[in-house]
Amino acid sequence: MASPAVQRFAVRALLSLPAPVLRLMAGGGVVYRGGRTLDPRLQFLAAQARKAPPMQSLSVEEARRSEANAIAQVSGDPEPGVRWEDLTVPGAVGDIPARAYRPEVQDPSAPLMVWAHMGGGVIGSIGTTHAFCTLLARIARCAVLSVDYRLSPEHRFPAGLEDVLAAYRFGRDNAGRFGAPEGHAAIGGDSMGGNFAAIVCQELRKAGEPQPALQLLVYPCTDVASQSASMQTYGDAFPLSRPMMDWFMGHYLGPGDDPADPRLSPLRARSLKGLAPAVVATAGFDPLVDQGEAYAKKLRDAGVPVAYRCYDGLAHAFTAFTGAVPAADVACREIAGLVREGFEGRIA
């Protein structure tokens, strides 16, 4: 088997071919669904993925190894001018691993961004969104604290959520350690990490604590019980499908857990009034696109400042595709720019 570096080079070389060639290699034609056209590089990657066993047929350990290998092939390079260190922070029941990022040009007024990675609560690590965190740190000019929360099925709901909440409180209360203003932090995440970030804001409101400076929700899961149109239209999408979501939730939820519980499905909270200003980004070819958009709308209707973007030609997990899909890199840079605007109070 080729080394990871050789595999990475080969994938990037293939994806640099012209769009018509990639579509031909993927089986021909243009993938057009729900009024959206899939990026040809993602079309090619989807065709390749169909040749491998689906994630839901794997064991948890096999799925974790598969995810790490896939990320290594398509993720971008770390941004220049950003340094990082591995450390531990307090989780809900003990210390958990984390990674702190500091840009060379850091705005001393920018809050610390506490970040939770994607992975359905079952797979993923601080390595999953490593490149994105460097990008976010450099463009938003803020420190980022990426949290390696506990995963299911070893630690089912609400373990991961409680770790992220504990890590947020630590980051907020120790922000000066990372060059940010004391007592000021933002919360963010993608996919299940976005779910955690949204719920953290709601949990802080319940506890009577100040809201984060900003919430960054990237293709978030906001309704575990959703039956929206996009769950059907993009139910067989790449890299997240409806069967894969069912596999994740089968490991994440316990037998007595209610998918409609707002601590699982923050969209189902009765009110979103008073929550932190939000940047919400979704991917067009994603079963979760409707629920991400719905959460942005519900926030706005509650009087919360929101910047919402849908990247129609992209698919779920695009923060990890910046080295292979130029449109994903562009989207991530725009999102980081919106975070910067949010820190400056320029989200209406």
Side-chain angles (χ1 to χ4, degrees):
M1 180 181 292
S3 70
V6 171
Q7 292 179 29
R8 179 181 174 91
F9 176 81
V11 168
R12 290 193 175 194
L14 280 169
L15 293 175
S16 68
L17 294 171
V21 175
L22 288 171
R23 289 195 176 101
L24 182 63
M25 294 173 67
V30 175
V31 175
Y32 181 81
R33 191 182 297 176
R36 300 179 171 108
T37 303
L38 183 63
D39 183 284
R41 292 168 181 83
L42 289 169
Q43 183 178 343
F44 173 80
L45 289 170
Q48 299 306 303
R50 285 194 290 270
K51 300 175 183 178
M55 181 174 289
Q56 59 269 21
S57 71
L58 305 177
S59 70
V60 169
E61 285 305 318
E62 289 171 335
R64 289 171 181 166
R65 288 194 297 269
S66 175
E67 182 265 357
N69 180 63
I71 296 295
Q73 294 181 33
V74 299
S75 65
D77 296 322
E79 289 285 305
V82 178
R83 65 185 187 277
W84 59 86
E85 64 167 329
D86 290 337
L87 66 158
T88 59
V89 300
V93 295
D95 288 347
I96 55 175
R99 183 170 293 167
Y101 300 83
R102 297 281 301 274
E104 288 180 1
V105 181
Q106 183 172 342
D107 181 351
S109 70
L112 169 72
M113 172 64 76
V114 179
W115 177 260
H117 64 79
M118 60 183 164
V122 179
I123 63 174
S125 69
I126 51 178
T128 300
T129 47
H130 174 65
F132 177 73
C133 285
T134 66
L135 184 154
L136 181 58
R138 189 180 73 80
I139 294 177
R141 295 166 53 199
C142 68
V144 176
L145 181 65
S146 182
V147 181
D148 212 1
Y149 53 84
R150 288 172 294 163
L151 298 176
S152 300
E154 298 91 337
H155 307 281
R156 293 182 183 264
F157 167 80
L161 168 63
E162 291 179 342
D163 278 348
V164 174
L165 178 57
Y168 170 79
R169 285 172 167 147
F170 167 82
R172 177 196 62 196
D173 297 342
N174 296 273
R177 171 178 172 179
F178 305 99
E182 291 287 359
H184 289 272
I187 185 73
D190 57 348
S191 193
M192 184 57 79
N195 173 279
F196 292 162
I199 297 168
V200 162
C201 293
Q202 296 187 17
E203 291 296 293
L204 292 170
R205 183 181 61 178
K206 287 180 192 175
E209 298 178 45
Q211 281 293 295
L214 183 81
Q215 53 180 317
L216 170 59
L217 314 178
V218 184
Y219 39 81
C221 173
T222 64
D223 188 358
V224 172
S226 174
Q227 296 295 328
S228 68
S230 66
M231 296 291 285
Q232 307 304 320
T233 304
Y234 306 106
D236 61 348
F238 164 84
L240 181 67
S241 66
R242 184 65 181 272
M244 191 183 302
M245 292 174 63
D246 292 342
W247 183 85
F248 283 138
M249 289 302 102
H251 289 297
Y252 182 63
L253 302 182
D257 294 327
D258 179 6
D261 182 341
R263 294 184 80 221
L264 286 164
S265 299
L267 181 60
R268 293 180 179 251
R270 281 184 291 182
S271 172
L272 303 186
K273 187 176 181 180
L275 298 183
V279 173
V280 183
T282 56
F285 277 75
D286 184 352
L288 303 183
V289 61
D290 284 355
Q291 54 186 276
E293 182 179 15
Y295 198 73
K297 182 180 185 301
K298 190 168 182 176
L299 283 168
R300 188 176 287 118
D301 290 346
V304 176
V306 177
Y308 174 70
R309 298 288 186 278
C310 180
Y311 298 96
D312 278 352
L314 294 181
H316 195 82
F318 65 73
T319 56
F321 284 75
T322 54
V325 181
D329 185 69
V330 170
C332 289
R333 292 177 190 280
E334 180 179 15
I335 291 166
L338 290 171
V339 169
R340 179 68 196 164
E341 292 180 13
F343 289 164
E344 295 172 349
R346 294 191 285 135
I347 292 178

